Amino acid sequence: MTLRRVNLIILVLLAVAFLIIVERNLLNLSDFLHTEHPDAEVILPFESELAPDLRLHLARKGEEIPVLISAAEDRLGAVVAAMNSVYQNSKANVVFTIVTLNDTVNHLKEWLTKTNLKNVKYKIVIFKPELINGKISKDLQTVDATKPLAFARFYLPAYIPEAEKAIYLDDDIIVQGDIQELFETSIKPGHAAAFSDDCDSASARGIIRGAGNQNNYIGFLDFKKEAIKKLGMRANTCSFNPGVIIANLTEWKSQNITQQLEHWMELNTHEELYSKTLADSITTPPLLIVFYKRHSTIDPMWHVRHLGTTGAGNRYSPQFVKAAKLLHWNGHYKPWGRSSSFSDVWDKWFIPDPTGKFHPMRRHAGDS
């Protein structure tokens, strides 16, 4: 036998021995991980690309991020799209608290359990309309903005009692960034919440001339009324949009924010400090009063607004909308309606209703 052949046989034997050792080490590593963490779903480094869903599941075991959203029956499609966008764009351990009415619970559960949202963590709580009895003027009872669920944000600590911090989202929202970043918004000492100012550079692009003073306090409150005068607020103070709220619930409770909001709601029923003639929403004015110069601010790119206002959304470039971390279709034109700006962005996150009850109007019209 030649020396060259002997060397070749030795190399082959060494290679086989090396492979056997590597295999045993990997098996031992797997056994060790399963022994140390028998209930864990273990992903070895070379498996990570083969199991993205499992990797995402493991990444959601950290600090819980409470997100509250209300769910009206006629807008369930919006709720589902918003939740889907939050869940898919973040590795955070998000836990949704969905505030709704009794008649909506079964429909909501079916939508969540029979679609891609079946792995989302959530709890459903029932809003009690009697909470706002006597706190809304009779002439405003039929206004859409006064539907009971619009006031769910006033009762954040009651719905998420165990949390120190929480996020509130309107349903006409799509989140394109990692919600962990929004959750980590800095709230100054003594402040119970953070909002997006209506004068910030990002949202100001969507303000339309002639639409009224909807970016300052005089657009929401009647400064001729004595109760408002006594507060000493400046009428031209920049307002804020409560469609996204980062709340310090510890401060919220210690400052009795809910009780303060209810006080101004009740006072309005007698003195008309704000009304539908001033603003479309009667949920915003009490918040403006209670949080006057006592709130922190949210990064403007985390609340790009006015996509649902006539012409306003068209002022945004597609590049700007793509870069925005949170989009809000506040205004009359909703992305599930017959016409709105950038409805194609909303469509990406909408999940069809398994019961067939909800259809985006424009899409349904095209199918019929």
Side-chain angles (χ1 to χ4, degrees):
M1 184 178 292
T2 65
L3 180 61
R4 180 179 295 178
R5 178 173 292 182
V6 170
N7 288 338
L8 181 61
I9 293 172
I10 292 173
L11 286 173
V12 170
L13 291 173
L14 288 172
V16 171
F18 175 76
L19 291 173
I20 292 172
I21 292 170
V22 169
E23 181 185 16
R24 286 181 177 177
N25 284 340
L26 286 174
L27 289 173
N28 289 338
L29 173 61
S30 180
D31 289 342
F32 169 76
L33 290 172
H34 281 287
T35 301
E36 291 296 306
H37 308 282
D39 297 324
E41 296 174 276
V42 178
I43 303 175
L44 297 177
F46 53 81
E47 294 179 311
S48 61
E49 294 305 316
L50 301 176
D53 293 338
L54 186 56
R55 186 174 70 252
L56 194 60
H57 173 68
L58 288 176
R60 295 177 187 269
K61 290 184 178 178
E63 175 192 15
E64 286 190 356
I65 296 181
V67 175
L68 185 139
I69 189 167
S70 61
E73 176 66 29
D74 60 342
R75 295 167 65 118
L76 277 190
V79 176
V80 167
M83 291 176 62
N84 190 36
S85 70
V86 171
Y87 185 72
Q88 299 295 341
N89 285 313
S90 175
K91 294 181 180 180
N93 185 16
V94 180
V95 180
F96 292 96
T97 295
I98 310 169
V99 184
T100 190
L101 301 175
N102 275 315
D103 295 344
T104 304
V105 173
N106 290 336
H107 187 187
L108 176 60
K109 282 184 176 179
E110 192 162 358
W111 208 329
L112 295 177
T113 57
K114 293 186 177 181
T115 64
N116 293 339
L117 293 178
K118 60 187 176 184
N119 294 322
V120 170
K121 294 181 181 179
Y122 68 90
K123 65 177 181 179
I124 297 175
V125 295
I126 306 301
F127 185 86
K128 297 180 179 179
E130 55 265 28
L131 281 173
I132 57 173
N133 284 351
K135 301 182 181 73
I136 302 176
S137 300
K138 291 182 179 179
D139 65 324
L140 296 175
Q141 293 287 350
T142 59
V143 179
D144 283 347
T146 65
K147 289 182 178 179
L149 291 172
F151 296 92
R153 73 197 84 185
F154 288 11
Y155 301 92
L156 277 168
Y159 295 129
I160 315 176
E162 69 284 356
E164 295 181 359
K165 190 177 185 181
I167 297 173
Y168 166 82
L169 297 177
D170 272 354
D171 59 7
D172 52 353
I173 276 172
I174 290 296
V175 174
Q176 300 187 132
D178 189 333
I179 199 103
Q180 179 83 41
E181 183 182 335
L182 180 62
F183 186 69
E184 291 173 356
T185 296
S186 177
I187 300 179
K188 295 178 181 178
H191 287 178
F195 304 92
S196 291
D197 288 331
D198 284 326
C199 302
D200 67 45
S201 58
S203 69
R205 299 187 190 187
I207 298 291
I208 306 174
R209 292 178 183 177
N213 298 310
Q214 292 298 295
N215 64 340
N216 56 35
Y217 270 54
I218 201 170
F220 293 89
L221 299 167
D222 187 347
F223 278 80
K224 295 178 182 179
K225 296 298 173 69
E226 193 61 30
I228 299 297
K229 287 182 180 179
K230 288 180 178 178
L231 294 173
M233 299 186 299
R234 295 178 63 88
N236 64 351
T237 299
C238 182
S239 56
F240 55 78
N241 186 296
V244 177
I245 305 173
I246 315 300
N248 179 331
L249 299 182
T250 303
E251 282 290 342
W252 192 294
K253 287 182 281 192
S254 69
Q255 295 180 30
N256 295 317
I257 297 296
T258 297
Q259 289 74 18
Q260 291 187 56
L261 293 169
E262 289 181 327
H263 165 75
W264 288 104
M265 289 170 65
E266 291 174 3
L267 198 60
N268 184 63
T269 62
H270 305 296
E271 302 186 25
E272 289 194 12
L273 307 177
Y274 50 88
S275 70
K276 62 183 178 182
T277 58
L278 287 172
D280 289 334
S281 171
I282 67 164
T283 54
T284 299
L287 289 160
L288 292 177
I289 295 171
V290 172
F291 287 101
Y292 178 73
K293 293 190 174 181
R294 294 174 58 210
H295 68 276
S296 299
T297 56
I298 294 173
D299 179 344
M301 294 303 284
W302 266 106
H303 195 177
V304 172
R305 308 183 286 291
H306 309 299
L307 273 75
T309 307
T310 309
N314 293 327
R315 295 193 174 196
Y316 298 129
S317 70
Q319 294 79 12
F320 177 75
V321 168
K322 186 176 181 179
K325 296 180 179 180
L326 185 150
L327 300 168
H328 188 184
W329 279 265
N330 59 309
H332 294 295
Y333 299 94
K334 304 302 182 185
W336 59 89
R338 297 196 181 280
S339 62
S340 79
S341 303
F342 299 102
S343 56
D344 56 317
V345 177
W346 184 86
D347 282 343
K348 290 192 301 184
W349 306 107
F350 173 68
I351 300 175
D353 183 359
T355 71
K357 296 176 183 176
F358 181 97
H359 296 273
M361 290 183 186
R362 56 198 152 68
R363 185 181 296 175
H364 190 46
D367 293 340
S368 58

